[in-house]
Amino acid sequence: MPEALRKFTPIMFLALIVLVAITLLSLTSSITTPIVEKRIQQQVVDQMKGMFPDVVEWNEDDGLYTLFADEGKTDFLGYAFLATGSGYSSSGINILVGLEDAQTVKEIVILSQSETPGIGTRAMEPAFLDQFIGLNINDVNFIKNGGQIDGITGATISSSAIVNAVRDTAMKKVAQLEGAE
Amino acid sequence: MNISVKGNKLALILRRNANNKAIRLPDYGITAASPVETPPLPPNVALPILQQYGEACKAIVKKGDIVLGGQKIADSEDFNATPLHASLSGEVTGMVKIIDPATGRPVDAIVITSDGEDKCIEYKAAANPESISKADMISMVREAGIIGNETDANPAHIRLSPPGKTDAVIINASQCEPYLTTNTRLMSEKPKEMLTGINIINRILSPSIIYIAIDSTRMDITDNLMRYIKHSGADYLKIVLLEQIYPYAAEGNLVNIIFGENTKPGVALFDASTVLAINDAVINSKPFIEKTVTLAGSVSKAANLRVRIGTPISHIIDYCGGIKDAADKIIINGLLSGSTVYDQSFPVTKETNSIILGHNVTSEEGDCIRCGKCIEICPARLSPTLLAAYAKAGRYNECKEAYVDNCFECGACSYICPSNIPILQYLRVAKSELGKKVAM
Amino acid sequence: MNIGSIIVLTLIGIGCGIIIYIAYVKIPHKVKGLDKIEEISGALPGMNCGACGFAGCFAYAQELAKNPDIITQSPCSVAMQNPDAVKCLEKSLCISLDAAAMCKKAVIHCGGNSEVIYDYSGAKSCKAAAQLWGGYKKCPYACLGFGDCAKACPQGGIVIDKEKGIAVIDRTQCTGCGLCAAECPQNLIELMPADTKVAFQCNYEPLKNIPGRGKCESGCIHCRKCFNACEYEAIIWNKLKAVPEFDVEKCTLCGKCIEACPQNTLAFATPVAAKCEAAV
Amino acid sequence: MTMPDVNQPDAPEMRFSVSSGPHRRSRLSARRMMHLTLLALMLPSAAAIYFFGYFALSIIAVSVITALATEYLAKRMRGKPFVMDGSAIVIGLLLALLMPPTIPLWMVAIGAFTAIAIVKEAFGGMGHYIFNPALGGAAFMYACFPAEMTNWIEPMGFSSDKVSTAAPLSEAFAANTDKMAMFLGNTSGTIGETSALLILVAGIALVILKVIDWRIPLSFLTTAFLFSAILGADPVFHLLGGSLMLGAFFLATDWVTSPLTHKGKLIFGFGAGILLVLMRLYGDVPEGIAYSILLMNAFTPLIDRFIKPKPFGFKKVVDNNA
Amino acid sequence: MTSFIKEFSKGIVTSNPIFVLALGLCPALAVSDRLEKAVWMSLGVLFVLLCSNIIISAIRKYVPNIMRIPVFIVIIATFVTIISLVFEAFVPAIFDALGIYLSLIVVNCIILGRAEAFASKNSVKDSIADALGITAGFAVALIIISLIREILGTGGLAWGDTAIFTLPVLGDHPLTVLALNPGAFLVIGLLLALFRWVGVTKNE
Amino acid sequence: MSDLIAIFLGMALINNFILVQFLGLCPFFGVSKKLGNAVSMGLAVTFVMVIASIVTWIITRYVLIPFDVLYMSTVIFILVIASLVQIIEMFIMRTNYALYSAFGIYLALITTNCAVLGVTLINNIQKSYSFPESMAAALGGGIGFTLVLAIMSGIRERLELADTPKSMKGLPVAFMVGMLLALAFSGFGGII
Ligand SMILES: Cc1cc2nc3c(=O)[nH]c(=O)nc-3n(C[C@H](O)[C@H](O)[C@H](O)COP(=O)(O)O)c2cc1C
Ligand SMILES: Cc1cc2nc3c(=O)[nH]c(=O)nc-3n(C[C@H](O)[C@H](O)[C@H](O)COP(=O)(O)O)c2cc1C
Ligand SMILES: Cc1cc2nc3c(=O)[nH]c(=O)nc-3n(C[C@H](O)[C@H](O)[C@H](O)COP(=O)(O)O)c2cc1C
Ligand SMILES: Cc1cc2nc3c(=O)[nH]c(=O)nc-3n(C[C@H](O)[C@H](O)[C@H](O)CO)c2cc1C
Ligand code: SF4
Ligand code: SF4
Ligand code: SF4
Ligand code: SF4
Ligand code: FES
């Protein structure tokens, strides 16, 4: 090997390793990504079905699902969308929100979270989440801020993450709806 | 008392230092009114050849020699060394080793058994003291072998020949410790000699100013001095009144109190008793063989005594009626900064200024509770608790970095510590270990 | 699979490679000879006790790398007791070592029989106590029993005998680091060959005539009886100090000297560490 | 130094004591200071029992007994003598005073155990710990039992009929702030914090007796007062409410965990005051006193390192911290 | 075989990465609040350490000295990414719970340390033993810590959504702090002290 | 702007890397025995964090997102950090040797510091911060890291003189300090 080239062996060696590594990763990811995507999709659908047992067909528009009870998409059931709150833990709280109409919350479901067990997780319990049922999205706020939701002492951060995420995303989605119409 | 101190330009009144860095004790001046007495001669004296400055002295007498009081018995070629004189007449009965309290190691001492006659060599009074030259005066002081008290503890002739210029002289006529009254006694009993002595120092060092530090309670001395100053027009003399709190009269503190801590004038400090000795040496050519000491505490009669150097302590105690109240502690040179001896036959040395009999208080050393009282009180503004902790852990270098050398061993920190930590003792260990390292 | 991303990311990899390469070439690398120093310091105990006289094991290794003779002048006692370390040092320094001779252990020259002459109160530290008249015992060289040495011993090999008020060294634990000897204000502790058989338990210096102070009942009176009693010429009389010294090779452990001593100053040395015997 | 002939050299007729100077000590002792503190704490404790009856009595008993038992065990495990220096009692008592009246007693026991075993003894015990043990124990309990630790009831004394009806207060509290009731102590809160008056009296007594230094309470209280006023809150309410008084006089002043120097103490109080107000006004924690003092405890070694007295004398002081 | 066992057991006791070497502390503290997380994390570490040790010791002769560290890191990072992708696909709840600590296995001092200190100098077989030993040590430590933290901190033990058991009293009022950050420090610190006290490890 | 300040303070105090996020614990226990060393380490980490955040933000924005390969972040970020540390080492050595001798040894430790990789992952992947937000987070995180390291070293310097039980000495008691610091820092919760 010529002297000049020899100098570059280390660099080429690293490049080779990087190349191999990246190829390997691309391969792995091409296997796992569809699984993940499918799962998330499935999860959302499952939860949606739990929320609206009659759902048969839906439209998706930029994360906003419009749900129908028949194949022909005429029997309107409600809306559903994902909201993400940033709680106490650095990974977020993923919430599926169901709306009966453009104003009223049907139900909210926590898809994933990693709040502090025993503290933050109290905001994941029905006692808290059930308060959302049937609320006007404008009332999704703490009582002291003029809404209708009781906070949880000791879990202010987690509970307000949920409340704020649900309200803000809902407002956005509603605006999106109105924009679409 | 027609001269009031307040408002008089000659007097300088100083009160507390910042932050109350001092200890107030009730037993100042118990013997303040006791005139200096002279007890009978002791049967024998032991004169240790201690030598911290200059080359070690060598004995110039041997066993069996007959010596006269005032006769030189040890000397060295070195100017810095201080000669030693027989303090009474008699026979040299031995050269013994005794333990030096400072190092715990043996040193030589010359023992003289008194013949009871107290014959002295002839002291020639100077015919015309004013005409003696500066150099002669210094060598006369050296010949007399004067070593100062605790406050000015090194040979007087060294203090009188400083390398640089002396801006000011401080005469310490106050007391640095509770119980001690020798300085004030001498000041009131021998004002004339004292002033001559001061004059000699003035001529040798020619400072621009001389401060005389006096306890603020001793208005009689102050009035006398004021009168004298007014009369003689000795305007270079100024009086400093000190509160009787410990450790104001310690050398470093005095300098700081008078000049503030941010100036560094050339200062020489002399204890009143040293001034008297200098006066004796120059005017009477009399060597330093007598010392005035206060005996106090658990003794039948507290007194101020003029004793020969080398006199066993037991002799003095017996003269004053013996130990009272089963006192089990003999404290030399002051309750706070003094040391203790374990045997009554310990002799009075040139540095001794008091003997206090007391009781031992054993107190279990606790953990430092970080109260910060030692820091509050340390007049050297050190952090004694930290220093003690470092010293205990053997981290002597950190002691040095925290200025352990600035500690002047007043003991205020150990005094105040609510956890009874012998802080000062730990600092002494650190200092000596550091000293060893330097020596190595 | 996304070919574009693979290419771009590999290019980033190459870029990083170049950066690292340049940085590597430009940064001067470790001082020469470091490998050897590391090898030597690997064989040292790593206690950084400083008993060798250098500032820690690594500093010692640096000096050794420069001048292997240092190991005989100021040996590391701890390393000398570990046969592996000795082998390793011999190899890397290209010298042969007489480990047994260099293997030392501490001995306390005090039997604790000196009378108490005053009641000491104050800091529980030998150094502090020794500052007051050389200690509270009649013998100004006596063990003061506050255990400054024990505190310094990294092995926990020194305990204070509460009855006698002296320090006792457990020679099975002692590694001969000498840290204790440096702490003792009375200079009572000496590092002696590990296989020392007879212990001389007096430190009194032959100073005459210190009134009120003196040696204890079991102090050496310099009578030479032990010297005369030994049939194997294992005792050498140290004229300077006027004390006996023992030749380990010749001593047969007969105990005659111990019997002969009128002062009970001599005793058999306590057992030697197994570790050390292995090295010997 | 001994002389021959005068006495029999080998048989001194009497054994003297020898020690290093100084040969006299002040009468101040750590134990005495601790006992005075204990005495002073009797005032808020009495108020606690007056206002919260059996609740307070049982909390105090459990806390102090657990603290003592833990201290005893810890000392035994370490092979050290157990001395009744009062410190464990003080810690137990202070912890008790920080408890809300309805706290289950086993929780108090856990708090007292943590305070002594982990926050005090694991660090080396008396004089060596870094964080205030009582507050460490309380913070531990806040984190473990947030609901129980913030369950406030109206004072009801020993009257048993009220005990059964004692219910948590509502948010109406904030509006209903009778300053006089807060000053005297007839208000809700932890059992020991309610009577600002008695805490003040006890604290000032300790200051006068030189058991505690005035600098920390003063700077702490002043900073909290001024800073809360600056931020637009009611300063008197903040001064009297919560455990500020108790904290400023008895918790922040713990010698072991506060700075050594005067200047350091002022900084400590200032820092604690700022942190306290921030936490009270904006924080999530129920009461900021434990956290603000614990944080300043953490800063104390740094304060001590940089705020040192400058050695007296003429030597130019070089900064040795560099 | 004996050397294999020796290397293996060394990792668990005498050079336990957590309790003795105090390395790789971040994941040890962060994911030890629940047993489930601890187990999955240990599996992740096992996979990464095993694969990277094998690869590194296999290619150790060819790696240019200059590029040693970068190459090792890239290899480790690759396996870490693979394991995160796999976790994300198959155990999503765990992937979410572990958060970034899964990715941070890359910089876990244990792994790079082993690559540098062991795999780059030893045969494939020994490297496998080393990986197994170190992982076992890591796993044992993590599981002990997580058991304590989960049982006391949540008042019971759970796997996934199913509770294995719940303690009386503590089940209603768990010592929550143990499941939180301060508790992680507390439990590990006390375990360290305990091991020293009973003499498993040496005092400082 | 107030967002940035919130992110900065949040990263420094509330989500402190060491006490809350559990990142960079090895140096927290390893390099916290002396204040000087601790502060040097902290500053070096802060510096590398900021630089790494800049570079990784660019890579994320212009490479990873366009190609939709965010899952490659770990590999690429760590490679970039490793080479960055090298180049910074070289740069400092060339320009300021005094600085190099003070910081040099710490730089080597930084490559394997969780906090550096952690901050890049949090900024770019977890929170998808904008550039200024990334900077605020990196700076805040680094300063919080330095602060806690400094506190810890102050405490440990004092503990060295303390009569800590034998089996608690050193690391175990440092963990206890960690616990109490974490408790104390939890008091910052919600301040922003
Ligand atoms: C270690 C620790 C973990 C915490 N975890 C959460 C959490 O997961 N969710 C939450 O909302 N608050 C959490 N907090 C915040 C505190 O519980 C905080 O006191 C509370 O949010 C304030 O509640 P309050 O204002 O309703 O009393 C945590 C606090 C600490 C100290
Ligand atoms: C000293 C102090 C005392 C408090 N006392 C009460 C109280 O008695 N009742 C109460 O509901 N909240 C009290 N709080 C307020 C709570 O800690 C908390 O802020 C409040 O309960 C929020 O919860 P909520 O919105 O569910 O009521 C107190 C706060 C402090 C600082
Ligand atoms: C010192 C202090 C004591 C307080 N005590 C109470 C109390 O006893 N009850 C109460 O409801 N609020 C109390 N508060 C007020 C609460 O902390 C808070 O301002 C109010 O309850 C609203 O809290 P929230 O925002 O958590 O709902 C107190 C506040 C302070 C500063
Ligand atoms: C004024 C004062 C306040 C004290 N405050 C506390 C305190 O807040 N927490 C504590 O654990 N001990 C406290 N103590 C007790 C004491 O400082 C401590 O228990 C001992 O220093 C050592 O255990 C206090 C003592 C005093 C005198
Ligand atoms: S440290 Fe020294 S100067 Fe300061 S109080 Fe103590 S003995 Fe006096
Ligand atoms: S006075 Fe004593 S207890 Fe107080 S800080 Fe100083 S050494 Fe510690
Ligand atoms: S006794 Fe201890 S300190 Fe002394 S040499 Fe032996 S091991 Fe070292
Ligand atoms: S041998 Fe020395 S250091 Fe050890 S206890 Fe005796 S006097 Fe003290
Ligand atoms: S594992 Fe996080 S810094 Fe070492």
Side-chain angles (χ1 to χ4, degrees), chain E residues 38 57 64 74 91 100 107 109 125 127 138 141 149 164 179 184:
Chain E
S57 71
V74 170
V91 276
I100 62 169
V107 275
C109 310
K125 198 185 89 187
S127 300
F138 182 78
R149 289 184 62 192
I164 299 174

Side-chain angles (χ1 to χ4, degrees), chain C residues 116-121 132-133 211-212, chain D residues 1-2 9-10 15-20:
Chain C
V116 173
I117 53 167
Y118 63 77
D119 294 324
Y120 169 77
S121 64
L132 301 172
W133 306 96
Chain D
M1 240 180 270
T2 326
D10 282 11
R15 214 200 258 175
F16 286 95
S17 289
V18 168
S19 62
S20 192

Side-chain angles (χ1 to χ4, degrees), chain D residues 100-168:
Chain D
T102 53
I103 187 103
L105 294 178
W106 65 272
M107 293 184 184
V108 178
I110 286 185
F113 174 81
T114 313
I116 299 282
I118 290 170
V119 193
K120 184 182 175 204
E121 289 300 327
F123 283 77
M126 178 69 151
H128 301 299
Y129 50 83
I130 304 288
F131 296 91
N132 189 320
L135 289 176
F140 187 89
M141 293 175 72
Y142 276 127
C144 280
F145 318 115
E148 289 80 1
M149 285 292 285
T150 46
N151 188 11
W152 317 108
I153 58 169
E154 200 60 272
M156 67 308 165
F158 283 98
S159 58
S160 52
D161 55 323
K162 272 199 185 169
V163 176
S164 52
T165 60

Side-chain angles (χ1 to χ4, degrees), chain D residues 196 199-208 210-226 238-239 243-255 258-259 261-274 276 289 293:
Chain D
I199 297 171
L200 206 60
V201 169
I204 290 175
L206 287 186
V207 168
I208 290 170
K210 300 220 168 195
V211 173
I212 59 177
D213 192 278
W214 53 268
R215 287 170 184 78
I216 291 179
L218 187 78
S219 64
F220 196 171
L221 295 174
T222 328
T223 311
F225 186 86
L226 294 179
H238 279 277
L239 204 59
S243 309
L244 175 54
M245 280 287 169
L246 190 68
F249 280 104
F250 290 95
L251 296 162
T253 50
D254 181 11
W255 319 295
S258 57
T261 55
H262 288 163
K263 221 197 266 174
K265 285 174 177 150
L266 288 174
I267 294 174
F268 183 97
F270 175 78
I274 297 279
L276 174 73
I289 197 88
I293 297 179

Side-chain angles (χ1 to χ4, degrees), chain B residues 25-27 44-46 48 98-99 101 179 255-256 260-261 263-264 312 314 323 327-331 334-336 338-347 360 363 367-373 375-376 379-383 385-386 401 403 406 411 414-422 424-425 428, chain D residues 1-9 12-31 33-34 75 80 124-129 209-213 215 254-262 265 300-301 304 307-320:
Chain B
L25 288 171
D27 27 22
N44 52 18
V45 290
I98 57 179
I99 303 257
Y179 286 116
V255 173
N256 286 324
E261 62 172 307
T263 45
K264 171 89 188 147
S314 57
I323 297 178
D328 63 350
K329 210 168 189 179
I330 307 171
I331 304 158
L335 206 52
L336 290 148
S339 53
T340 44
V341 299
Y342 61 90
D343 193 331
Q344 289 192 60
S345 54
F346 180 85
N360 192 34
S363 36
D367 288 306
C368 169
I369 55 166
R370 291 175 43 86
C371 65
K373 290 189 191 294
I375 296 181
E376 269 166 49
R381 273 204 232 119
L382 303 174
S383 304
T385 168
L386 207 68
E401 279 162 25
Y403 305 98
N406 283 26
S414 302
Y415 170 86
I416 201 79
C417 176
S419 281
N420 291 323
I421 300 173
L424 173 54
Q425 203 178 2
R428 287 193 174 126
Chain D
M1 240 180 270
T2 326
M3 274 215 14
D5 307 337
V6 182
N7 292 309
Q8 278 301 337
E13 74 279 23
M14 136 163 222
R15 214 200 258 175
F16 286 95
S17 289
V18 168
S19 62
S20 192
H23 306 288
R24 179 177 295 181
R25 287 181 167 283
S26 66
R27 266 182 306 147
L28 209 65
S29 83
R31 195 172 297 191
M33 286 160 78
M34 203 66 77
K75 291 286 186 221
K80 302 223 160 180
M126 178 69 151
H128 301 299
Y129 50 83
L209 289 168
K210 300 220 168 195
V211 173
I212 59 177
D213 192 278
R215 287 170 184 78
D254 181 11
W255 319 295
V256 184
T257 54
S258 57
L260 287 164
T261 55
H262 288 163
K265 285 174 177 150
T300 294
D304 275 340
I307 311 291
K308 274 188 195 149
K310 250 194 199 145
F312 202 86
F314 304 119
K315 251 188 205 165
K316 182 102 178 84
V317 180
V318 277
D319 183 21
N320 65 328

Side-chain angles (χ1 to χ4, degrees), chain A residues 151 153, chain D residues 150 152 169-171 188 193 242 286-287:
Chain A
T153 309
Chain D
T150 46
W152 317 108
L169 290 183
S170 66
E171 284 191 8
S188 70
E193 77 188 21
E287 163 65 310

Side-chain angles (χ1 to χ4, degrees), chain F residues 1-16 21 127 129 132-141 188 190-192:
Chain F
M1 193 60 205
S2 67
D3 273 7
L4 294 187
I5 293 174
I7 289 179
F8 176 86
L9 288 179
M11 285 298 248
L13 301 176
I14 300 165
N15 291 320
N16 186 281
Q21 311 222 32
K127 304 258 178 179
Y129 278 150
E133 284 171 342
S134 275
M135 291 299 95
L139 208 59
F188 282 121
I191 278 191
I192 290 147

